[in-house]
């Protein structure tokens, strides 16, 4: 899990080297926050910062997890 403020979340994280939009859809179905690579298919599903997080590098991922 990761923590933002006083809330703890169990999140769905997609593989870094492949953008698996099907996994994103599964995580949405189960009501999980989604952290996914910034690929075209993931951008069609995720509005960054609204219904999930998109990242392009390890540095960007670390920043988003430490919000």
């Amino acid at each position: 899990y990761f923590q933002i403020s006083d809330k703890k979340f169990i999140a769905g994280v997609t593989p870094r080297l492949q953008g698996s939009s099907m996994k994103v859809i599964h995580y949405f179905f189960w009501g999980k926050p989604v952290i996914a690579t910034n690929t075209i298919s993931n951008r069609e599903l995720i509005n960054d910062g609204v219904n999930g997080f998109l990242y392009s590098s390890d540095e960007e991922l670390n920043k988003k997890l430490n919000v």
Side-chain angles (χ1 to χ4, degrees):
Y1 72 90
F2 66 96
Q3 187 165 344
I4 297 176
S5 295
D6 60 343
K7 298 179 182 177
K8 293 180 182 177
F9 297 93
I10 297 176
V13 181
T14 63
R16 183 172 179 260
L17 297 176
Q18 55 184 200
S20 177
S21 56
M22 199 62 200
K23 285 188 180 196
V24 171
I25 292 167
H26 286 147
Y27 293 139
F28 283 159
F29 176 79
W30 291 107
K32 302 295 181 195
V34 178
I35 303 166
T37 51
N38 191 357
T39 62
I40 293 170
S41 59
N42 288 341
R43 284 193 303 266
E44 291 176 353
L45 298 168
I46 299 171
N47 188 357
D48 192 34
V50 176
N51 64 342
F53 296 102
L54 295 169
Y55 69 95
S56 298
S57 66
D58 289 341
E59 181 179 290
E60 188 176 5
L61 173 61
N62 289 332
K63 286 180 184 177
K64 294 197 180 206
L65 290 177
N66 291 317
V67 171

